[in-house]
C-alpha cells in the first residue's frame, strides 16, 4: 500500500463546476496535509494546508480533512480552464523531520 | 523578496560525469529539502538539511549522491558518475521553521538530462 494515494485521473470537469480531488494516507499518525498545484514543466506551488479535522476555506478552494477515515480532499469551486494542472497531496508523517510524502498527483482538466 | 532559487535550470551531462545542482533558499529560511521527480511520477524526498547539518538523508541513494548546506552559500546536491536513470527534475524547497505546519516553498527546479 502506498503511503499517500491519489487517483491519477485525468479528472475532467466543465468550466464553472466544482472539482473534487481526493487523497488517502496510510500513516494514522500523520500530522499535516498540503495541497500543491503543478503546471506541466513547472514547480509545485502551495495552494493550502490543513491540520485539523474539518473544512478550511481559502477563496475558491476548500480543504477537507477526516483523520478517522484517513483522507483529505480539495474542492475547487467555479473551476476555470486555468485550474487545469496536476494537484499534489503531501503529508507530513509522524513527528520527525517534517519531510513531505507526496502522492503521485491527480491531473485536472477544466473544459471551456 | 526573492523566492527559492535554483541553478542551473537545465543541465545536460554525459554518463560518468558529475552534476552539481545549487539551491538558495528564500530569505529567512534555514531549512532546505531536496526532492526528485521522475517523468510521470510524484515527488520523492531525498534529503533535508539545515546550515552545516544533514538532518535526514533517508531518501538519498547510498552511492554517488551527496548534499551539503554550508554556512555560507547555497545548498548543493552533487551526483557523481551520472547514469541515464538520474535524468529527472530536481526540486529544492525551503521553509522558515520546523514543525507540524511546515509550509515548504519550491524553487523552479533543475532538469537534469543524462545522455
Amino acid at each position: 500500500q502506498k503511503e499517500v494515494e491519489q487517483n491519477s485521473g485525468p479528472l475532467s470537469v466543465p468550466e464553472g463546476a466544482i472539482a473534487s480531488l481526493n487523497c488517502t494516507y496510510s500513516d494514522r499518525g500523520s500530522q499535516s496535509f498540503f495541497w500543491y498545484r503543478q503546471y506541466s514543466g513547472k514547480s509545485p506551488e502551495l495552494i493550502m494546508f490543513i491540520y485539523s479535522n474539518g473544512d478550511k476555506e481559502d477563496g475558491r478552494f476548500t480543504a477537507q480533512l477526516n483523520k478517522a477515515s484517513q483522507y483529505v480532499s480539495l474542492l475547487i469551486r467555479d473551476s476555470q480552464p486555468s485550474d487545469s494542472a496536476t494537484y499534489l497531496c503531501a503529508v507530513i508523517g509522524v513527528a520527525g523531520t517534517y519531510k513531505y510524502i507526496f502522492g503521485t498527483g491527480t491531473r485536472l482538466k477544466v473544459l471551456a | 523578496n526573492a523566492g527559492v532559487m535554483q541553478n542551473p535550470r537545465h543541465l545536460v551531462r554525459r554518463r560518468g560525469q558529475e552534476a552539481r545542482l545549487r539551491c538558495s533558499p528564500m530569505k529567512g529560511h534555514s531549512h532546505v529539502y531536496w526532492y526528485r521527480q521522475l517523468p510521470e511520477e510524484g515527488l520523492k524526498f531525498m534529503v533535508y538539511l539545515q546550515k552545516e547539518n544533514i538532518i535526514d538523508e533517508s531518501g538519498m541513494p547510498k552511492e554517488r549522491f551527496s548534499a551539503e548546506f554550508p554556512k555560507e552559500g547555497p545548498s548543493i546536491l552533487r551526483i557523481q558518475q551520472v547514469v541515464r536513470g538520474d535524468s529527472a527534475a530536481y526540486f529544492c524547497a525551503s521553509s522558515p521553521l520546523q514543525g507540524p505546519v511546515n509550509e515548504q516553498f519550491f524553487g523552479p527546479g533543475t532538469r537534469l538530462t543524462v545522455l
Side-chain angles (χ1 to χ4, degrees):
Chain A
Q1 182 189 10
K2 289 183 181 177
E3 294 179 89
V4 179
E5 293 205 56
Q6 295 181 258
N7 189 320
S8 60
L11 172 66
S12 296
V13 299
E15 183 175 359
I18 295 176
S20 177
L21 304 158
N22 298 314
C23 171
T24 59
Y25 58 95
S26 61
D27 185 350
R28 188 169 287 278
S30 297
Q31 302 178 70
S32 307
F33 309 86
F34 302 79
W35 283 101
Y36 283 80
R37 177 175 60 196
Q38 186 176 29
Y39 293 109
S40 181
K42 302 295 185 182
S43 62
E45 53 179 320
L46 181 65
I47 298 174
M48 61 192 306
F49 67 87
I50 187 168
Y51 55 88
S52 298
N53 272 328
D55 295 359
K56 179 180 179 182
E57 188 174 315
D58 184 0
R60 295 188 296 114
F61 300 97
T62 298
Q64 299 175 317
L65 175 60
N66 184 323
K67 289 188 177 181
S69 299
Q70 295 177 240
Y71 83 77
V72 57
S73 61
L74 179 71
L75 301 178
I76 307 174
R77 288 182 298 281
D78 188 24
S79 296
Q80 301 296 309
S82 58
D83 294 326
S84 298
T86 296
Y87 289 79
L88 303 170
C89 171
V91 174
I92 289 181
V94 177
T97 59
Y98 307 105
K99 65 191 179 192
Y100 284 178
I101 300 170
F102 279 93
T104 52
T106 298
R107 194 153 53 100
L108 173 67
K109 289 185 176 180
V110 181
L111 307 172
Chain B
N1 185 16
V4 178
M5 300 181 70
Q6 290 187 250
N7 67 80
R9 297 288 300 274
H10 299 275
L11 182 61
V12 179
R13 286 287 178 266
R14 296 190 182 279
R15 281 181 297 169
Q17 292 184 319
E18 179 181 287
R20 283 193 179 220
L21 289 61
R22 296 175 194 78
C23 168
S24 296
M26 286 179 71
K27 188 176 181 180
H29 289 195
S30 58
H31 303 263
V32 167
Y33 298 78
W34 285 93
Y35 295 86
R36 176 165 65 176
Q37 188 172 38
L38 293 167
E40 305 303 320
E41 292 190 17
L43 286 139
K44 301 292 185 187
F45 167 79
M46 299 182 74
V47 62
Y48 162 40
L49 309 105
Q50 294 180 27
K51 287 282 187 183
E52 299 185 282
N53 278 307
I54 296 174
I55 308 301
D56 182 348
E57 56 182 347
S58 58
M60 287 273 274
K62 297 298 180 195
E63 297 178 352
R64 302 189 296 109
F65 286 72
S66 62
E68 63 176 5
F69 190 13
K71 187 176 181 180
E72 301 290 338
S75 174
I76 295 176
L77 179 67
R78 182 181 176 205
I79 312 172
Q80 294 177 291
Q81 299 176 320
V82 296
V83 300
R84 290 218 173 104
D86 297 331
S87 295
Y90 292 82
F91 291 98
C92 165
S94 72
S95 68
L97 49 77
Q98 183 183 47
V101 181
N102 180 22
E103 298 169 79
Q104 294 182 19
F105 299 89
F106 283 78
T110 294
R111 279 149 184 85
L112 172 66
T113 301
V114 179
L115 302 177

